[in-house]
Amino acid sequence: MEPKRIREGYLVKRGSVFNTWKPMWVVLLEDGIEFYKKKSDNSPKGMIPLKGSSLTSPCQDFGKRMFVFKITTTKQQDHFFQAAFLEERDAWVRDIKKAIKCIEGGQKFARKSTRRSIRLPETIDLGALYLSMKDTEKGIKELNLEKDKKIFNHCFTGNCVIDWLVSKQSVRNRQEGLMIASSLLNEGYLQPAGDLSKNAVDGTAENPFLDNPDAFYYFPDSGFFCEENSSDDDVILKEEFRGVIIKQGCLLKQGDDPLGAIHLRGCVVTSVESNPDGKKGEEENLFEIITADEVHYFLQAATPKERTEWIKAIQVASRTGK
């Protein structure tokens, strides 16, 4: 039986020979990490075994590159990956750590074993339930919640999820609601926000979902972002989409080549820290676009907030645009 795919997506990986950074389609399996040049490729360019490996995050080895994490194998080989933003990096790190822990304990990855242990009623369709929960009128209301001097935007509490399931008669009681909510979380329909809910997912509790007003969650495509003071001096990104024009405004572009277009389909975008020592300079708020043809563009926004908005908008265009 082939190892289960736990997580997959584009990350920027540092080459082991020429030390160049290139976008790779990365697949996290139960026993290792495969990386491909393109998502459509059948054979991986390489594989990183997780047994005995260690993970470092955040990795500060590259001052100008933000949201980098490092995997060190038993042969003392270092592999560096860069995510586009803080929440994406944390999600990868959380799952990789859990995979390593499961290997050490001789266990299956937690989400897989949890799904098998939960027997859902045949009438429950998690996909359809997810769409109902997201309904703008009758679904779960997304709020801006504050906790520990952080503001969590576009999220909701664990007990609100259970309240909604009970009120819509999707479940018979709160215990059954907890079982359904855990399944939604395990399948990726819900994501944890904040330390309390993340720790529950990382732990070995029977139910990774918490029926708790202090446990925050969000829909993965809702535009969730958290305003906080982080070690990366950044905030989670806010998604914007406005019809044909996703976002428009003024940016500074590096280079003397003539004006033109940057093809965004399949590109990878990441933040670039111009002054890792914290001193302000003329090149603040930089970000890098690496196209599908591996052409690198460096752009500069006016403010940190504007940079994060541009990155998120470009990510949308990368999946759907030209």
Side-chain angles (χ1 to χ4, degrees), residues 6-7 28 69 85-97 111 191 198 202 218:
I6 298 169
R7 177 179 293 277
L28 171 61
F69 61 89
F85 54 95
L86 181 62
E87 192 69 11
E88 182 181 56
R89 184 197 66 189
D90 287 350
W92 276 97
V93 168
R94 184 170 62 245
D95 282 347
I96 293 171
K97 283 184 176 180
R111 287 210 291 263
Q191 294 291 328
K198 288 180 180 179
D202 292 338
Y218 66 94

Side-chain angles (χ1 to χ4, degrees), residues 67-214:
F67 315 127
V68 174
F69 61 89
K70 176 176 70 174
I71 299 173
T72 304
T73 66
T74 54
K75 296 182 178 180
Q76 297 305 305
Q77 294 176 327
D78 292 333
H79 299 270
F80 300 92
F81 294 90
Q82 182 184 19
F85 54 95
L86 181 62
E87 192 69 11
E88 182 181 56
R89 184 197 66 189
D90 287 350
W92 276 97
V93 168
R94 184 170 62 245
D95 282 347
I96 293 171
K97 283 184 176 180
K98 184 182 292 185
I100 294 174
K101 184 177 180 181
C102 288
I103 293 172
E104 292 174 349
Q107 302 171 337
K108 290 291 186 179
F109 189 82
R111 287 210 291 263
K112 183 175 182 180
S113 60
T114 302
R115 281 203 298 270
R116 286 186 172 181
S117 66
I118 296 176
R119 296 183 179 179
L120 297 177
E122 294 182 359
T123 55
I124 292 293
D125 183 337
L126 293 179
L129 185 61
Y130 167 71
L131 294 177
S132 298
M133 296 171 75
K134 287 193 62 181
D135 187 278
T136 54
E137 295 183 0
K138 299 180 181 179
I140 296 176
K141 302 302 179 184
E142 296 177 272
L143 304 170
N144 297 339
L145 304 173
E146 185 173 356
K147 182 178 176 62
D148 298 330
K149 297 182 179 180
K150 302 176 184 178
I151 299 177
F152 297 85
N153 297 266
H154 301 286
C155 68
F156 39 83
T157 63
N159 66 320
C160 283
V161 173
I162 307 301
D163 289 343
W164 185 88
L165 290 171
V166 173
S167 67
K168 299 299 179 182
Q169 298 182 344
S170 299
V171 296
R172 291 169 294 182
N173 51 54
R174 300 191 75 84
Q175 185 60 36
E176 189 172 281
L178 195 60
M179 178 182 69
I180 298 298
S182 296
S183 298
L184 288 164
L185 185 67
N186 293 334
E187 295 294 340
Y189 291 113
L190 301 178
Q191 294 291 328
D195 294 337
L196 183 62
S197 55
K198 288 180 180 179
N199 289 338
V201 172
D202 292 338
T204 57
E206 181 180 356
N207 290 308
F209 189 90
L210 298 177
D211 181 5
N212 190 315
D214 293 323

